[in-house]
Amino acid sequence: MLFSTAWLSRYVELPESTRTLTDLLTSCGLVVDQVDEVRNDTVLDLDVASNRVDAMNHFGVAREIATARREPLRPPDSSVDETPGCAAADLATIEIDDPQGCARFVARVIRDIEVGPSPAWMSELLEVIGLRPINNVVDITNFVMWELGHPLHAYDLDLLAGNKIVVRRALPGEALQTLDGTSRSLTADDLVIADADRAIGLAGVMGGANTEIQAGSTNVLLEGAWFDPQLVRNSAQRLGMHTDASHRFERTLAIDGMVAAVDRAAALIAELAGGEICQGRLDEKDQLPEPVSLSLRSSRVEKLLGVDIPEGDIRNILERLGFEVEGASASFLVTVPRHRSDISREEDLVEEVARHYGYERLPNTLPALRAPEESGDPMVLAERRLKQVCVAAGYREALTPSLGRDEDQAAFLRADDAPVSIANPISKALGFLRARLSPGLLTVVAHNVNRGQQDVRLFEIGNRFTQPSEGNGAIERKALALIICGPGQVAHWGESNRAPDLFDLKGTLEAVARRMGWPAWQWRAGTQPGLEDGCSAELLLEGEVQGWAGRISAEVAERFGLALPVWGAEIDVEEQLARPARELRYSPLSRFPGGVRDVSLQLAESVSFDHIEAAVTSREDVSLAGFELVDVYQGDDIPSGQRSLTLRFTYRRDDRTLTAEEIDSAHQAVTSHLLDEFGGKQR
Amino acid sequence: MGATEGEVPSVDQGQTADGDPLAIIQQLQQQFEVEAESISDEAELAELRARYLGRKRGALTAVFDRMRSLPGELRAQVGKQANQARQLLTRRLDEISSALAEGRDKRCDLDVSLPGRTVHLGSLHPITLALQEIESVFTRMGYEVVEGPEVETDWYNFEALNIPKEHPARDIQDTLYLGGEWLLRTHTSPVQIRTMQRRQPPLAIIVPGRVYRRDTPDATHTPSFVQCEGLVVGPDITMTDLKGTLDHFAKALFGHETRTRFRPGYFPFTEPSAEMDATCPACAGNGCRVCKGSGWVEMLGSGMVHPAVFEAVGYDPQTVQGFAFGMGVDRIAAVRYGIDDIRTLYENDIRFLKQFAT
C-alpha cells in the first residue's frame, strides 16, 4: 500500500531522514517494503496488516508516527460551511431495507457544482500513490478515502430516480453496469444501493455507471456508509472485484468514520468545484453500539511482557492512539476508539503498549523449562532413526510433492485403494493427494536419467492418503519407499559394475528391519499393480500385506519416460514406527571355539529357500549356532529343473568345546534331515 | 657391492696348471659365499650366477672343462666335488632369488595417487538437514518434537486458533479443501491444539511437518512445504522469554554474530504478535541479493498465545500464558544454503542432493 510522505506531513512532523522514518514505521508494525522517489515526493510501500484498517490511510499512518515520535497530530479540517435555504432532507431520502447489511448511511447534498480537473496539488498526491485523477468530485472522494480511510461515493443527484436512495438486496435477475464498464448479474446475496427504480451501486465494492458524476453534473449526493464486511467480501469474491473500497469494508470500518469523511469531502467539493453544501447531514441508522470499554491492569502488562512499563507511558501511548484512559494503573478503564475494530481484549491493549514502548526495548530472557525425558514423540524419533538407517544403506533422501495427478497414482493402486481428491485444486496436475510415494520417486528418477544421471538410489518417508470407506477426510499413514536403477555404481577403477536388482532392495529392507528392531518382513512372490510379474514380491508381517518390492513394469516406467529397468519397494510403516524402540541387552559370548562345515545340495528348483530356512531353524540342536547360504548354482552338470545350494553351518556350544567328531555328526544329521525332507542329493 | 670379475679365482689365473683342483673348488665355494652375502638385487644375482655357473665364463664351469684332462681317479674325485659344489651354489642362488622376491613384495610399490575405492554414502535431503538443525537447537533447550496429521478439520486448523468463519485468512484461495469439514492443514498449529488438549502445562514443543497452501508453484512458493512451529506454555512465560529464545535460535542457526529485529505483526492466534528478522547470513547485514539490499531476512512469525486459543483447549488464560512461533523450513534451508529457487528442493536432482552429503 503506497503512502506519500508529502501527504503524511500534512498531519504530523516527519523526521528529517527517510531512514529514520522507515525504521520508526517498521518498529511499530508498518513494514516498509520499498521506498521510491517520485517527482519531489518520497513514496513508501507499507505492508499494513490485514487487521489494521485504521492505518490504511494517511491520517492513520500519521497517528502512528505522532505516537511513536511523541509529536502532535493535526487532523484535517472537516468543518462544513452549509448554505442556508436548502435542506438536504428536501432533496433526497435514504431508506435502509437491510439494516444488517447497512448499519449506517450518511449523505450530504452539494448543489451547483462545476465538474472539472482537480487542482495540481491533489492530482499529484493521488498520482504518486498510483491513482489516476478523473475529475474534481471523484478525485475528492478518493482523496478523502486515502486521507481518512472511509470510502465515499458521489452520485449525480439529478440521475437518481425519485431522488431516493434505497439500500437493499439485489432482485432476482437484476443487473448493474459498474463504473469499470462491466455488466454484472447480481443475486440476492449482493447488497446494492438503488434509487426508486434500479440498482445504482454494488455496496462497498463499486458504484454504477448510471449515476456517475461526469462533466456537466451539477448536483451531487455524497455517500458515506457502513456495510457488513462479510457481505462485501462475498460479493467482491464472487464477482472477482477487489477494490480499494471493498478492501476496507471487508476489514470492519468504524461505524462513525464516515461522518468526518463526508463532511471533509463536502467541504473540499465546495472549495474546489464551487457549489453549495445543503443544510443537514442525512444519517440513517439504528442505535449505534456503545464503544468498547476494556480494563487494563498494569500487572497484566508486566506479566505478559516481562517488564514493568511506567503507568505514565501506558497512558500516554494509549491516549495518543485515540484511546480514552480513566482510573489508575491497578485497573485502567480504557475506551476503544471506533476506528480500532481490531481491539477487543486486554491483550490487544498490551500489544498497543508494547508496540509503542518498543519491542527492541524488551530485554532477552530464557524461560526455565522442564527437562523432558525424551526429545520427542516415540514415532517421530523412530522416523528420524529410520532415515538414518536408509542413509547408512547408501540411499539418498528425496522429498517429493504430496499433490499430483490421479493417473500417476492409479498404476500402483489396488481396486480398494481410492486416492483422495482436492475439492478446490490449484490445477488438474495438483488435483489429488498421493496414495503412493513411488510415482513421485519415479518422476525424480526420470528427471535424473534425462540429465545423464542413471545411477539413482533414493528413499522417501512420508504420509500416504486414501479415502476412508465411509465419510470424508482421509486415512493418513506413513510409508517408506525405495527406488534404484542404473548400470550400477563402480566403486573402484579396478573393478566392474553390477546392475542393481531385487536382492539389493531385499538386503536393504532386511537391514532396516534388523537395525530398527522390527520383525523381518516375509517375502512372498505375487503380482502387484505397477510391477513386472515374476519380478515382484509382497511383503508381509504376521500374515498382513504391508507393501511390495519388485521391478517397475515396462508400461509404468514408460509412462514416466523411463526405458531402463527400475526396481522399487514401498511399505506401510505406520505400525512399525509405533513399536517401542528395541531394548538393548547383552547376551554372553561363548568362550568355546566353533567349527564350520559346508554342504552342497542338489534340489528341485521348486524347493524355495524359505522352506530350507524353516527346516533348519526347526531343528533343536544346541550345537547348531548359525547357517547361511553361500552359493546358488545352475550349470551344465545340474539337470534342468534343479539347482545346487551351498549352505554353510556353524557349530558351537556355550558350555564346552565340540570335538571334530561331534561336529561331523551334527552336520551329517542336518544334511540328512534336509535330504529326507526335500529329496535331492548331496553334491 | 658385488665382487668384480677380476677377483674371482680361476683355475688358470689363481693356480698353475698343476694347481690342486680340489683346493680350487673349495676356494671357489668360500669366495662364492663371501660374494653372495652382498647381493642386493636381481641384476647382481644374475651376474653372480654367470661368474660361477655361466656356460662361457663361469669359474666352476671352467673346473668341469679342465677335468677331462685329469687322470682317472682324480677326475672321478674332482667330478664328485664339482657336482656337489654346483648343487650347493645353485641352491644358494635360488635361495637368494626367493629372498629377493620376498623382499620385493614387502617393499610395496603403489601409485598412492590413484583414487580410493568409492564408498557410496546416502544423504539426507537439505530440508531434513535444516529441520534437524532447528530441532536440535530447541531440543537442547528442553523442547519435545511432536507431529500430527496433515489432513485436519476446520475446527483444529481455524476455529480453535481464533480464526472464525468470516476471517479473511480463510479465503478459499488460501486453503485446499477435501470436502465436508476436512482440509489440508495450512500450518502445523493444529498439532499444538491437539497437544494442549492431551496434556497439561507446562509444555515446550516444536512441531515440524508438511503444510499446504493454495499457491501456484513459483520460485518462492510451493503448494506444500515444510513448516516448523513451536509452543511454550507455563505460568510465567513472557514476551521477553520469546525474544530471548528466538534470538538464541537465530544465533545458533546462523552464527553467533547474527542480530535479530522484532517488529509488531499480526496473527489471529497471538497477541501481542511479533515478526522476527535476522541479519542476512549471506552478507552479514550489509545488503545483498538474498535480502534485497535491506540487510535483513524475514525469519519467523511469533507472539504471545492469544487467550482465545487457550480457551479453546480448556486452559485458563488468567493462569497460564505462553509464546508460539512458526517458520518455513524450506525458506530457512534456502537462506541457510543459498538456494534461490524453492522448487529446486523438490526436484531432487542427484547433483543437488550430493551437495548435502555430509
Side-chain angles (χ1 to χ4, degrees):
Chain A
M1 202 166 271
L2 300 181
F3 292 86
S4 145
T5 49
W7 196 336
L8 290 171
S9 67
R10 294 167 80 96
Y11 322 114
V12 68
E13 187 76 27
L14 296 183
E16 295 253 318
S17 96
T18 305
R19 184 66 204 238
T20 309
L21 177 62
T22 59
D23 283 353
L24 178 155
L25 287 167
T26 298
S27 73
C28 62
L30 295 163
V31 180
V32 183
D33 283 340
Q34 207 172 320
V35 179
D36 282 310
E37 299 299 324
V38 183
R39 299 188 196 166
N40 291 324
D41 203 349
T42 302
V43 177
L44 310 175
D45 187 356
L46 299 188
D47 183 3
V48 183
S50 65
N51 65 332
R52 290 298 307 279
V53 67
D54 67 289
M56 293 176 186
N57 58 79
H58 284 78
F59 184 66
V61 171
R63 187 190 293 116
E64 291 291 328
I65 297 169
T67 305
R69 302 196 72 204
R70 314 294 191 255
E71 286 276 351
L73 181 66
R74 302 185 294 262
D77 182 9
S78 295
S79 61
V80 171
D81 198 2
E82 295 179 339
T83 303
C86 112
D90 296 340
L91 298 169
T93 56
I94 312 287
E95 186 183 314
I96 299 176
D97 267 9
D98 182 351
Q100 292 205 305
C102 176
R104 191 171 190 183
F105 196 109
V106 171
R108 272 194 181 273
V109 173
I110 306 106
R111 290 207 304 193
D112 297 329
I113 58 143
E114 192 172 329
V115 175
S118 295
W121 67 265
M122 184 182 285
S123 304
E124 276 168 22
L125 288 179
L126 292 175
E127 276 170 354
V128 297
I129 63 163
L131 297 173
R132 186 170 55 89
I134 295 166
N135 61 49
N136 46 12
V137 177
V138 174
D139 291 350
I140 285 165
T141 59
N142 280 330
F143 176 83
V144 173
M145 175 174 70
W146 281 94
E147 180 180 55
L148 292 174
H150 208 101
L152 302 174
H153 188 70
Y155 300 91
D156 185 332
L157 182 59
D158 298 324
L159 299 176
L160 242 72
N163 284 351
K164 187 177 183 189
I165 292 280
V166 184
V167 187
R168 58 165 169 84
R169 295 301 183 98
L171 304 170
E174 192 165 20
L176 171 70
Q177 191 186 9
T178 42
L179 280 171
D180 56 5
T182 309
S183 179
R184 315 274 177 183
S185 7
L186 306 175
T187 74
D189 293 331
D190 297 313
L191 187 69
V192 295
I193 318 300
D195 60 15
D197 298 339
R198 62 203 166 143
I200 56 169
L202 183 57
V205 184
M206 196 180 278
N210 48 16
T211 50
E212 185 180 2
I213 299 285
Q214 300 178 55
S217 300
T218 52
N219 298 316
V220 173
L221 183 130
L222 197 58
E223 163 203 305
W226 191 96
F227 301 116
D228 178 71
Q230 190 64 43
L231 275 180
V232 172
R233 171 151 2 103
N234 291 348
S235 289
Q237 233 168 46
R238 190 173 51 75
L239 296 167
M241 301 170 75
H242 186 87
T243 63
D244 283 345
S246 72
H247 191 78
R248 286 163 177 77
F249 279 114
E250 284 175 24
R251 285 162 173 76
T252 312
L253 286 163
I255 194 94
D256 60 358
M258 76 290 278
V259 175
V262 164
D263 282 2
R264 169 74 170 153
L268 281 171
I269 290 172
E271 180 189 335
L272 303 176
E276 47 193 35
I277 303 168
C278 293
Q279 283 182 311
R281 194 194 291 130
L282 303 179
D283 190 351
E284 199 58 35
K285 61 176 186 289
D286 275 347
Q287 182 73 37
L288 292 186
E290 287 297 310
V292 175
S293 282
L294 300 171
S295 79
L296 175 65
R297 296 159 290 170
S298 62
S299 61
R300 185 72 179 149
V301 177
E302 183 177 359
K303 185 96 196 288
L304 271 179
L305 299 183
V307 288
D308 181 18
I309 296 180
E311 178 183 343
D313 284 0
I314 294 176
R315 184 185 286 275
N316 191 326
I317 288 167
L318 290 174
E319 284 177 348
R320 282 177 174 277
L321 289 172
F323 295 83
E324 284 173 33
V325 183
E326 295 168 68
S329 67
S331 183
F332 290 118
L333 182 66
V334 180
T335 305
V336 180
R338 295 198 192 263
H339 62 259
R340 292 305 301 271
S341 57
D342 59 315
I343 306 286
S344 62
R345 301 184 70 132
E346 188 177 25
E347 291 73 19
D348 298 330
L349 295 173
V350 175
E351 180 175 81
E352 292 307 294
V353 171
R355 277 195 316 122
H356 282 284
Y357 177 78
Y359 282 10
E360 291 314 304
R361 288 169 68 192
L362 302 178
N364 290 348
T365 58
L366 286 174
L369 300 181
R370 275 191 180 177
E373 287 170 10
E374 291 284 358
S375 63
D377 275 355
M379 239 182 118
V380 173
L381 302 181
E383 187 185 326
R384 304 287 184 274
R385 283 205 310 279
L386 178 57
K387 283 190 178 184
Q388 293 295 354
V389 176
C390 293
V391 168
Y395 290 73
R396 295 190 186 278
E397 185 189 19
L399 291 181
T400 68
S402 313
L403 297 168
R405 284 178 197 279
D406 188 20
E407 308 90 89
D408 289 346
Q409 297 286 328
F412 291 98
L413 296 181
R414 293 190 168 282
D416 51 348
D417 289 322
V420 179
S421 64
I422 307 294
N424 59 332
I426 298 160
S427 67
K428 190 172 177 298
L430 301 168
F432 282 82
L433 274 172
R434 61 181 177 187
R436 293 291 180 270
L437 308 183
S438 297
L441 288 179
L442 281 169
T443 306
V444 172
V445 170
H447 169 96
N448 280 290
V449 169
N450 291 340
R451 281 156 187 77
Q453 294 129 218
Q454 300 199 315
D455 270 304
V456 182
R457 207 175 170 86
L458 298 170
F459 79 97
E460 181 168 11
I461 296 164
N463 282 323
R464 307 195 301 194
F465 306 85
T466 48
Q467 269 182 24
S469 52
E470 55 190 68
N472 287 312
I475 299 167
E476 177 177 343
R477 292 174 69 88
K478 280 264 194 289
L480 162 68
L482 304 172
I483 204 144
I484 46 176
C485 77
Q489 293 165 324
V490 181
H492 196 47
W493 36 267
E495 291 157 13
S496 56
N497 55 350
R498 176 185 64 74
D501 61 27
L502 184 74
F503 298 101
D504 287 295
L505 293 173
K506 187 169 182 181
T508 302
L509 290 171
E510 285 168 343
V512 162
R514 278 198 310 276
R515 182 57 65 90
M516 295 299 294
W518 297 343
W521 290 282
Q522 290 108 47
W523 288 57
R524 185 170 78 189
T527 58
Q528 286 295 322
L531 300 189
E532 205 74 65
D533 281 356
C535 288
S536 64
E538 290 174 317
L539 276 63
L540 299 93
L541 216 51
E542 285 149 16
E544 293 276 321
V545 176
Q546 306 287 323
W548 48 259
R551 198 167 83 199
I552 306 298
S553 75
E555 190 191 347
V556 170
E558 196 188 332
R559 190 183 158 72
F560 289 89
L562 289 163
L564 74 178
V566 181
W567 297 84
E570 183 161 345
I571 314 169
D572 184 319
V573 291
E574 180 87 12
E575 268 140 45
Q576 273 92 317
L577 287 172
R579 281 171 191 274
R582 185 168 56 121
E583 288 267 331
L584 298 180
R585 280 205 75 79
Y586 161 77
S587 56
L589 309 176
S590 173
R591 291 183 293 113
F592 303 98
V596 171
R597 297 287 186 277
D598 289 357
V599 64
S600 292
L601 300 174
Q602 185 176 316
L603 300 169
E605 268 179 342
S606 59
V607 178
S608 67
F609 182 73
D610 54 358
H611 289 123
I612 296 168
E613 198 173 20
V616 172
T617 45
S618 73
R619 291 184 60 78
E620 290 173 359
D621 180 351
V622 292
S623 66
L624 182 54
F627 94 113
E628 60 181 320
L629 176 70
V630 292
D631 190 35
V632 178
Y633 174 71
Q634 280 179 305
D636 291 342
D637 48 341
I638 307 282
S640 79
Q642 298 194 7
R643 59 181 174 175
S644 166
L645 303 178
T646 303
L647 303 167
R648 176 164 299 162
F649 294 89
T650 304
Y651 301 92
R652 187 189 300 110
R653 286 183 67 112
D654 294 338
D655 54 350
R656 62 181 177 79
T657 304
L658 289 167
T659 65
E661 291 73 26
E662 286 173 315
I663 292 173
D664 288 339
S665 136
H667 188 60
Q668 189 51 52
V670 177
T671 306
S672 307
H673 177 161
L674 294 178
L675 291 175
D676 287 350
E677 189 160 342
F678 303 114
K681 63 174 185 180
Q682 186 172 350
R683 289 183 77 229
Chain B
M1 281 260 286
T4 60
E5 192 177 350
E7 290 170 285
V8 179
S10 79
V11 184
D12 296 324
Q13 182 195 11
Q15 296 289 329
T16 53
D18 48 275
D20 177 5
L22 291 173
I24 289 171
I25 290 168
Q26 197 175 7
Q27 195 184 345
L28 278 174
Q29 276 180 252
Q30 286 167 356
Q31 182 69 30
F32 175 87
E33 284 303 328
V34 172
E35 290 180 24
E37 282 299 308
S38 59
I39 294 299
S40 63
D41 62 26
E42 302 282 353
E44 288 174 10
L45 181 67
E47 174 60 28
L48 182 68
R49 187 186 297 271
R51 256 186 286 133
Y52 286 88
L53 298 174
R55 193 167 294 177
K56 283 187 180 155
R57 57 185 172 92
L60 191 59
T61 313
V63 173
F64 281 102
D65 289 346
R66 287 213 37 218
M67 206 172 65
R68 287 180 213 107
S69 59
L70 292 175
E73 193 174 330
L74 183 60
R75 186 167 69 192
Q77 204 179 344
V78 170
K80 191 180 170 192
Q81 281 292 321
N83 269 324
Q84 279 178 356
R86 184 162 61 186
Q87 280 172 16
L88 195 81
L89 262 59
T90 305
R91 198 170 66 234
R92 282 290 294 131
L93 285 166
D94 288 348
E95 278 172 15
I96 295 165
S97 173
S98 323
L100 284 176
E102 199 174 306
R104 192 174 56 241
D105 284 354
K106 270 185 194 156
R107 204 160 58 235
C108 206
D109 190 18
L110 294 178
D111 176 359
V112 296
S113 69
L114 285 170
R117 190 166 274 114
T118 308
V119 175
H120 294 287
L121 293 170
S123 57
L124 289 172
H125 193 279
I127 290 177
T128 304
L129 289 177
L131 184 55
Q132 285 186 349
E133 282 194 58
I134 294 165
E135 287 176 357
S136 153
V137 175
F138 286 105
T139 53
R140 288 201 297 273
M141 288 192 273
Y143 289 61
E144 292 169 75
V145 187
V146 178
E147 288 183 2
E150 292 170 33
V151 171
E152 268 293 359
T153 63
D154 186 273
W155 191 84
Y156 279 103
N157 195 72
F158 290 128
E159 291 279 338
L161 288 154
N162 195 33
I163 310 174
K165 283 268 186 316
E166 67 279 8
H167 197 278
R170 297 182 58 145
D171 279 357
I172 195 151
Q173 283 88 340
D174 300 329
T175 310
L176 291 165
Y177 290 93
L178 300 185
E181 282 292 281
W182 298 93
L183 47 79
L184 293 175
R185 66 179 179 191
T186 57
H187 43 198
T188 62
S189 312
V191 185
Q192 286 146 266
I193 299 297
R194 290 177 181 280
T195 307
M196 286 192 279
Q197 283 181 327
R198 211 174 57 235
R199 290 165 57 171
Q200 286 302 307
L203 50 91
I205 56 171
I206 50 165
V207 188
R210 274 193 196 213
V211 301
Y212 298 81
R213 301 275 167 89
R214 202 168 180 280
D215 285 332
T216 306
D218 64 23
T220 53
H221 297 89
T222 50
S224 74
F225 59 97
V226 179
Q227 205 191 30
C228 186
E229 295 190 3
L231 171 74
V232 182
V233 184
D236 303 306
I237 304 295
T238 65
M239 184 107 175
T240 61
D241 292 334
L242 175 157
K243 279 193 70 192
T245 300
L246 298 177
D247 179 73
H248 169 78
F249 166 67
K251 287 179 163 58
L253 201 68
F254 290 133
H256 188 70
E257 64 291 348
T258 306
R259 283 171 295 122
T260 55
R261 175 175 83 175
F262 289 82
R263 51 188 169 80
Y266 170 61
F267 308 105
F269 33 84
T270 51
E271 194 76 35
S273 303
E275 304 257 11
M276 185 179 85
D277 302 328
T279 42
C280 176
C283 62
N286 296 317
C288 69
R289 199 172 48 86
V290 173
C291 55
K292 298 191 188 100
S294 72
W296 296 98
V297 288
E298 284 184 31
M299 216 169 144
L300 50 81
S302 64
M304 300 303 290
V305 178
H306 197 287
V309 175
F310 285 142
E311 283 158 8
V313 299
Y315 285 6
D316 175 6
Q318 293 304 320
T319 58
V320 292
Q321 54 190 54
F323 65 83
F325 54 90
M327 69 196 93
V329 179
D330 302 34
R331 206 187 121 62
I332 298 276
V335 171
R336 183 88 171 77
Y337 306 125
I339 299 162
D340 52 10
D341 188 333
I342 292 268
R343 287 169 294 189
T344 313
L345 289 165
Y346 292 98
E347 271 175 4
N348 300 287
D349 193 299
I350 301 285
R351 293 165 297 177
F352 173 77
L353 297 178
K354 274 183 182 169
Q355 297 179 18
F356 304 95
T358 50

